[in-house]
Short mmCIF file of all heavy atoms in Angstrom, two decimals:
data_model
loop_
_atom_site.label_atom_id
_atom_site.label_comp_id
_atom_site.label_asym_id
_atom_site.label_seq_id
_atom_site.Cartn_x
_atom_site.Cartn_y
_atom_site.Cartn_z
N SER A 9 11.02 -23.36 -4.09
CA SER A 9 10.24 -22.30 -4.73
C SER A 9 9.21 -21.70 -3.77
O SER A 9 9.01 -20.48 -3.77
CB SER A 9 9.57 -22.79 -6.01
OG SER A 9 8.60 -23.77 -5.71
N VAL A 10 8.58 -22.51 -2.94
CA VAL A 10 7.62 -21.96 -1.96
C VAL A 10 8.36 -21.09 -0.95
O VAL A 10 7.91 -19.98 -0.62
CB VAL A 10 6.82 -23.09 -1.27
CG1 VAL A 10 6.06 -22.56 -0.07
CG2 VAL A 10 5.86 -23.74 -2.26
N LEU A 11 9.50 -21.56 -0.46
CA LEU A 11 10.28 -20.75 0.49
C LEU A 11 10.75 -19.44 -0.13
O LEU A 11 10.66 -18.37 0.49
CB LEU A 11 11.47 -21.55 1.03
CG LEU A 11 11.13 -22.72 1.94
CD1 LEU A 11 12.40 -23.50 2.31
CD2 LEU A 11 10.40 -22.27 3.18
N GLY A 12 11.23 -19.51 -1.36
CA GLY A 12 11.67 -18.30 -2.05
C GLY A 12 10.51 -17.34 -2.28
O GLY A 12 10.67 -16.12 -2.16
N ASN A 13 9.36 -17.88 -2.61
CA ASN A 13 8.17 -17.06 -2.83
C ASN A 13 7.75 -16.31 -1.57
O ASN A 13 7.23 -15.20 -1.63
CB ASN A 13 7.03 -17.94 -3.33
CG ASN A 13 5.91 -17.19 -3.99
OD1 ASN A 13 4.97 -17.81 -4.46
ND2 ASN A 13 5.96 -15.88 -4.09
N MET A 14 8.02 -16.90 -0.41
CA MET A 14 7.60 -16.29 0.85
C MET A 14 8.57 -15.22 1.37
O MET A 14 8.20 -14.42 2.22
CB MET A 14 7.41 -17.37 1.92
CG MET A 14 6.26 -18.32 1.63
SD MET A 14 4.67 -17.50 1.41
CE MET A 14 4.42 -16.84 3.04
N VAL A 15 9.78 -15.16 0.84
CA VAL A 15 10.78 -14.20 1.35
C VAL A 15 10.30 -12.74 1.27
O VAL A 15 10.39 -12.02 2.26
CB VAL A 15 12.14 -14.38 0.64
CG1 VAL A 15 13.07 -13.22 0.90
CG2 VAL A 15 12.78 -15.68 1.08
N PRO A 16 9.76 -12.27 0.15
CA PRO A 16 9.37 -10.85 0.11
C PRO A 16 8.06 -10.53 0.85
O PRO A 16 7.77 -9.36 1.09
CB PRO A 16 9.22 -10.55 -1.38
CG PRO A 16 9.00 -11.85 -2.03
CD PRO A 16 9.67 -12.88 -1.17
N ILE A 17 7.30 -11.53 1.23
CA ILE A 17 5.96 -11.30 1.78
C ILE A 17 5.97 -10.48 3.06
O ILE A 17 5.23 -9.49 3.16
CB ILE A 17 5.21 -12.64 1.97
CG1 ILE A 17 5.16 -13.43 0.65
CG2 ILE A 17 3.83 -12.43 2.54
CD1 ILE A 17 4.69 -12.65 -0.55
N PRO A 18 6.77 -10.81 4.07
CA PRO A 18 6.76 -9.97 5.28
C PRO A 18 7.15 -8.52 5.01
O PRO A 18 6.59 -7.60 5.59
CB PRO A 18 7.78 -10.63 6.21
CG PRO A 18 8.01 -11.98 5.67
CD PRO A 18 7.66 -11.95 4.22
N PHE A 19 8.09 -8.31 4.08
CA PHE A 19 8.51 -6.96 3.75
C PHE A 19 7.38 -6.18 3.09
O PHE A 19 7.18 -5.00 3.38
CB PHE A 19 9.76 -6.98 2.85
CG PHE A 19 10.94 -7.64 3.49
CD1 PHE A 19 11.31 -8.93 3.13
CD2 PHE A 19 11.65 -6.99 4.48
CE1 PHE A 19 12.40 -9.55 3.74
CE2 PHE A 19 12.74 -7.59 5.09
CZ PHE A 19 13.10 -8.87 4.72
N ILE A 20 6.65 -6.84 2.21
CA ILE A 20 5.52 -6.18 1.55
C ILE A 20 4.46 -5.81 2.58
O ILE A 20 3.96 -4.68 2.59
CB ILE A 20 4.92 -7.09 0.44
CG1 ILE A 20 5.92 -7.25 -0.70
CG2 ILE A 20 3.60 -6.52 -0.07
CD1 ILE A 20 5.56 -8.31 -1.70
N ILE A 21 4.14 -6.75 3.45
CA ILE A 21 3.11 -6.50 4.46
C ILE A 21 3.53 -5.36 5.39
O ILE A 21 2.72 -4.50 5.74
CB ILE A 21 2.79 -7.78 5.26
CG1 ILE A 21 2.12 -8.81 4.34
CG2 ILE A 21 1.89 -7.47 6.46
CD1 ILE A 21 1.94 -10.18 4.97
N LEU A 22 4.79 -5.33 5.77
CA LEU A 22 5.25 -4.31 6.72
C LEU A 22 5.50 -2.94 6.07
O LEU A 22 5.33 -1.92 6.73
CB LEU A 22 6.53 -4.78 7.41
CG LEU A 22 6.37 -5.97 8.34
CD1 LEU A 22 7.73 -6.46 8.83
CD2 LEU A 22 5.47 -5.63 9.52
N LEU A 23 5.87 -2.91 4.80
CA LEU A 23 6.28 -1.64 4.19
C LEU A 23 5.22 -0.99 3.30
O LEU A 23 5.30 0.22 3.04
CB LEU A 23 7.57 -1.84 3.38
CG LEU A 23 8.78 -2.24 4.20
CD1 LEU A 23 9.97 -2.51 3.29
CD2 LEU A 23 9.13 -1.17 5.21
N PHE A 24 4.26 -1.75 2.81
CA PHE A 24 3.30 -1.17 1.87
C PHE A 24 2.47 -0.08 2.51
O PHE A 24 2.27 0.99 1.93
CB PHE A 24 2.41 -2.27 1.27
CG PHE A 24 1.48 -1.75 0.22
CD1 PHE A 24 1.97 -1.37 -1.01
CD2 PHE A 24 0.12 -1.62 0.45
CE1 PHE A 24 1.13 -0.88 -2.00
CE2 PHE A 24 -0.74 -1.14 -0.52
CZ PHE A 24 -0.23 -0.77 -1.75
N ARG A 25 1.96 -0.29 3.71
CA ARG A 25 1.12 0.72 4.38
C ARG A 25 1.91 2.01 4.63
O ARG A 25 1.39 3.09 4.34
CB ARG A 25 0.54 0.14 5.68
CG ARG A 25 -0.28 1.08 6.52
CD ARG A 25 -1.42 1.80 5.84
NE ARG A 25 -2.37 1.00 5.13
CZ ARG A 25 -3.31 1.52 4.33
NH1 ARG A 25 -3.43 2.81 4.20
NH2 ARG A 25 -4.12 0.74 3.67
N PRO A 26 3.16 1.95 5.13
CA PRO A 26 3.91 3.22 5.27
C PRO A 26 4.12 3.94 3.93
O PRO A 26 4.12 5.17 3.89
CB PRO A 26 5.24 2.79 5.89
CG PRO A 26 4.93 1.52 6.60
CD PRO A 26 3.87 0.85 5.77
N ILE A 27 4.28 3.18 2.87
CA ILE A 27 4.44 3.81 1.56
C ILE A 27 3.16 4.53 1.15
O ILE A 27 3.19 5.65 0.64
CB ILE A 27 4.88 2.77 0.51
CG1 ILE A 27 6.32 2.32 0.79
CG2 ILE A 27 4.76 3.33 -0.91
CD1 ILE A 27 6.79 1.14 -0.02
N VAL A 28 2.01 3.88 1.37
CA VAL A 28 0.72 4.53 1.08
C VAL A 28 0.56 5.78 1.92
O VAL A 28 0.15 6.83 1.42
CB VAL A 28 -0.46 3.55 1.30
CG1 VAL A 28 -1.79 4.27 1.24
CG2 VAL A 28 -0.42 2.42 0.29
N ASN A 29 0.89 5.69 3.20
CA ASN A 29 0.79 6.87 4.09
C ASN A 29 1.71 7.99 3.62
O ASN A 29 1.35 9.16 3.67
CB ASN A 29 1.11 6.48 5.53
CG ASN A 29 0.02 5.61 6.12
OD1 ASN A 29 -1.11 5.59 5.65
ND2 ASN A 29 0.36 4.89 7.16
N TRP A 30 2.89 7.63 3.15
CA TRP A 30 3.81 8.63 2.61
C TRP A 30 3.21 9.29 1.37
O TRP A 30 3.28 10.51 1.21
CB TRP A 30 5.16 8.00 2.28
CG TRP A 30 6.10 8.97 1.63
CD1 TRP A 30 6.86 9.91 2.24
CD2 TRP A 30 6.34 9.10 0.23
NE1 TRP A 30 7.58 10.63 1.30
CE2 TRP A 30 7.27 10.15 0.06
CE3 TRP A 30 5.86 8.44 -0.89
CZ2 TRP A 30 7.73 10.55 -1.19
CZ3 TRP A 30 6.32 8.83 -2.14
CH2 TRP A 30 7.24 9.88 -2.28
N CYS A 31 2.61 8.49 0.50
CA CYS A 31 1.95 9.04 -0.69
C CYS A 31 0.88 10.05 -0.29
O CYS A 31 0.75 11.11 -0.91
CB CYS A 31 1.32 7.92 -1.53
SG CYS A 31 2.50 6.92 -2.43
N LEU A 32 0.12 9.72 0.74
CA LEU A 32 -0.93 10.62 1.21
C LEU A 32 -0.37 11.94 1.75
O LEU A 32 -1.04 12.97 1.70
CB LEU A 32 -1.77 9.94 2.29
CG LEU A 32 -2.69 8.82 1.82
CD1 LEU A 32 -3.28 8.07 3.01
CD2 LEU A 32 -3.79 9.36 0.92
N SER A 33 0.86 11.89 2.24
CA SER A 33 1.44 13.09 2.84
C SER A 33 2.18 13.98 1.83
O SER A 33 2.64 15.06 2.19
CB SER A 33 2.40 12.71 3.96
OG SER A 33 3.56 12.10 3.43
N THR A 34 2.30 13.55 0.59
CA THR A 34 3.01 14.33 -0.42
C THR A 34 2.04 15.01 -1.37
O THR A 34 0.89 14.59 -1.52
CB THR A 34 3.96 13.44 -1.25
OG1 THR A 34 3.20 12.51 -1.99
CG2 THR A 34 4.97 12.74 -0.38
N LYS A 35 2.51 16.03 -2.00
CA LYS A 35 1.68 16.79 -2.94
C LYS A 35 1.45 16.02 -4.23
O LYS A 35 0.33 15.95 -4.74
CB LYS A 35 2.38 18.12 -3.23
CG LYS A 35 1.65 19.01 -4.20
CD LYS A 35 2.43 20.30 -4.42
CE LYS A 35 1.75 21.17 -5.46
NZ LYS A 35 2.49 22.41 -5.69
N TYR A 36 2.49 15.40 -4.76
CA TYR A 36 2.41 14.77 -6.08
C TYR A 36 1.82 13.36 -6.07
O TYR A 36 1.26 12.92 -7.06
CB TYR A 36 3.81 14.74 -6.72
CG TYR A 36 4.34 16.13 -6.97
CD1 TYR A 36 5.37 16.64 -6.18
CD2 TYR A 36 3.80 16.94 -7.95
CE1 TYR A 36 5.86 17.92 -6.39
CE2 TYR A 36 4.28 18.22 -8.17
CZ TYR A 36 5.31 18.70 -7.39
OH TYR A 36 5.78 19.97 -7.58
N PHE A 37 1.95 12.66 -4.97
CA PHE A 37 1.46 11.28 -4.91
C PHE A 37 0.21 11.11 -4.06
O PHE A 37 -0.24 10.00 -3.82
CB PHE A 37 2.57 10.36 -4.37
CG PHE A 37 3.78 10.32 -5.25
CD1 PHE A 37 4.95 10.95 -4.86
CD2 PHE A 37 3.75 9.68 -6.48
CE1 PHE A 37 6.08 10.92 -5.67
CE2 PHE A 37 4.86 9.65 -7.30
CZ PHE A 37 6.03 10.28 -6.89
N LYS A 38 -0.36 12.22 -3.62
CA LYS A 38 -1.53 12.17 -2.76
C LYS A 38 -2.71 11.48 -3.45
O LYS A 38 -3.43 10.70 -2.84
CB LYS A 38 -1.93 13.58 -2.31
CG LYS A 38 -3.01 13.60 -1.27
CD LYS A 38 -3.25 14.99 -0.75
CE LYS A 38 -4.22 14.93 0.41
NZ LYS A 38 -4.35 16.22 1.07
N GLY A 39 -2.89 11.73 -4.73
CA GLY A 39 -3.99 11.10 -5.49
C GLY A 39 -3.86 9.58 -5.53
O GLY A 39 -4.85 8.86 -5.39
N ILE A 40 -2.64 9.12 -5.70
CA ILE A 40 -2.40 7.67 -5.71
C ILE A 40 -2.71 7.08 -4.34
O ILE A 40 -3.38 6.05 -4.23
CB ILE A 40 -0.94 7.36 -6.12
CG1 ILE A 40 -0.70 7.77 -7.56
CG2 ILE A 40 -0.61 5.89 -5.91
CD1 ILE A 40 0.75 7.73 -7.99
N GLY A 41 -2.23 7.75 -3.29
CA GLY A 41 -2.50 7.30 -1.93
C GLY A 41 -3.98 7.27 -1.61
O GLY A 41 -4.49 6.33 -1.01
N GLN A 42 -4.71 8.30 -2.06
CA GLN A 42 -6.15 8.35 -1.82
C GLN A 42 -6.86 7.23 -2.56
O GLN A 42 -7.79 6.61 -2.03
CB GLN A 42 -6.71 9.71 -2.24
CG GLN A 42 -6.33 10.83 -1.31
CD GLN A 42 -6.75 12.19 -1.84
OE1 GLN A 42 -6.91 12.40 -3.04
NE2 GLN A 42 -6.91 13.14 -0.92
N LYS A 43 -6.45 6.97 -3.78
CA LYS A 43 -7.07 5.90 -4.58
C LYS A 43 -6.82 4.54 -3.91
O LYS A 43 -7.74 3.72 -3.81
CB LYS A 43 -6.52 5.92 -6.01
CG LYS A 43 -7.21 4.97 -6.93
CD LYS A 43 -8.64 5.38 -7.17
CE LYS A 43 -9.28 4.46 -8.19
NZ LYS A 43 -10.71 4.65 -8.29
N LEU A 44 -5.61 4.32 -3.45
CA LEU A 44 -5.29 3.07 -2.77
C LEU A 44 -6.10 2.93 -1.48
O LEU A 44 -6.60 1.84 -1.18
CB LEU A 44 -3.79 2.97 -2.47
CG LEU A 44 -2.88 2.74 -3.67
CD1 LEU A 44 -1.43 2.87 -3.27
CD2 LEU A 44 -3.15 1.40 -4.31
N ASP A 45 -6.22 4.01 -0.74
CA ASP A 45 -7.02 3.98 0.49
C ASP A 45 -8.49 3.72 0.19
O ASP A 45 -9.15 2.97 0.90
CB ASP A 45 -6.87 5.29 1.25
CG ASP A 45 -6.15 5.13 2.57
OD1 ASP A 45 -5.72 3.99 2.86
OD2 ASP A 45 -6.03 6.12 3.29
N GLU A 46 -9.00 4.34 -0.86
CA GLU A 46 -10.40 4.15 -1.25
C GLU A 46 -10.66 2.69 -1.61
O GLU A 46 -11.63 2.08 -1.15
CB GLU A 46 -10.71 5.05 -2.45
CG GLU A 46 -12.10 4.93 -3.01
CD GLU A 46 -12.26 5.80 -4.25
OE1 GLU A 46 -11.89 6.99 -4.21
OE2 GLU A 46 -12.74 5.26 -5.27
N ILE A 47 -9.78 2.13 -2.42
CA ILE A 47 -9.90 0.71 -2.80
C ILE A 47 -9.79 -0.17 -1.56
O ILE A 47 -10.54 -1.13 -1.40
CB ILE A 47 -8.82 0.34 -3.84
CG1 ILE A 47 -9.09 1.06 -5.16
CG2 ILE A 47 -8.76 -1.17 -4.05
CD1 ILE A 47 -7.94 0.97 -6.15
N ALA A 48 -8.87 0.17 -0.67
CA ALA A 48 -8.66 -0.61 0.55
C ALA A 48 -9.91 -0.65 1.39
O ALA A 48 -10.34 -1.72 1.84
CB ALA A 48 -7.51 -0.02 1.36
N ASN A 49 -10.51 0.49 1.62
CA ASN A 49 -11.71 0.54 2.46
C ASN A 49 -12.88 -0.20 1.82
O ASN A 49 -13.64 -0.88 2.50
CB ASN A 49 -12.09 1.99 2.76
CG ASN A 49 -11.07 2.66 3.65
OD1 ASN A 49 -10.41 2.01 4.45
ND2 ASN A 49 -10.92 3.96 3.50
N GLU A 50 -12.98 -0.10 0.51
CA GLU A 50 -14.06 -0.78 -0.21
C GLU A 50 -13.89 -2.30 -0.14
O GLU A 50 -14.83 -3.03 0.15
CB GLU A 50 -14.04 -0.32 -1.67
CG GLU A 50 -15.19 -0.79 -2.51
CD GLU A 50 -15.08 -0.22 -3.91
OE1 GLU A 50 -15.00 1.02 -4.05
OE2 GLU A 50 -15.05 -1.02 -4.87
N LYS A 51 -12.68 -2.77 -0.42
CA LYS A 51 -12.41 -4.21 -0.41
C LYS A 51 -12.36 -4.78 1.00
O LYS A 51 -12.73 -5.93 1.21
CB LYS A 51 -11.08 -4.51 -1.13
CG LYS A 51 -11.03 -4.07 -2.56
CD LYS A 51 -11.91 -4.89 -3.43
CE LYS A 51 -11.80 -4.42 -4.87
NZ LYS A 51 -12.74 -5.08 -5.74
N ALA A 52 -11.90 -3.99 1.94
CA ALA A 52 -11.74 -4.48 3.31
C ALA A 52 -13.06 -4.91 3.91
O ALA A 52 -13.13 -5.95 4.56
CB ALA A 52 -11.08 -3.42 4.18
N THR A 53 -14.11 -4.15 3.67
CA THR A 53 -15.40 -4.52 4.25
C THR A 53 -15.92 -5.82 3.66
O THR A 53 -16.49 -6.64 4.37
CB THR A 53 -16.44 -3.40 4.05
OG1 THR A 53 -16.52 -3.09 2.67
CG2 THR A 53 -16.07 -2.16 4.83
N LYS A 54 -15.70 -6.03 2.37
CA LYS A 54 -16.15 -7.27 1.73
C LYS A 54 -15.32 -8.48 2.19
O LYS A 54 -15.86 -9.51 2.53
CB LYS A 54 -16.07 -7.15 0.21
CG LYS A 54 -17.04 -6.17 -0.38
CD LYS A 54 -16.84 -6.04 -1.87
CE LYS A 54 -17.73 -4.96 -2.45
NZ LYS A 54 -17.47 -4.76 -3.87
#
């Protein structure tokens, strides 16, 4: 179960940021991307 739990982790780490960047570059998903970036910057400093 621990090994299975770890399988998607590298993919999430590698692909989530490009997905957020893609959201920021689109007209319809830009708000979602901005919100995620805002949360990221706020949480990252803490």
Side-chain angles (χ1 to χ4, degrees):
S9 66
V10 168
L11 291 175
N13 198 178
M14 293 304 294
V15 166
I17 304 311
F19 299 104
I20 293 169
I21 293 172
L22 293 172
L23 296 176
F24 185 71
R25 177 53 53 190
I27 290 170
V28 170
N29 290 339
W30 176 81
C31 287
L32 289 170
S33 70
T34 65
K35 179 180 176 181
Y36 297 107
F37 298 108
K38 188 173 186 172
I40 294 170
Q42 288 172 335
K43 187 67 176 170
L44 289 171
D45 247 3
E46 178 184 310
I47 293 169
N49 292 331
E50 187 178 304
K51 301 289 181 187
T53 55
K54 292 177 185 176

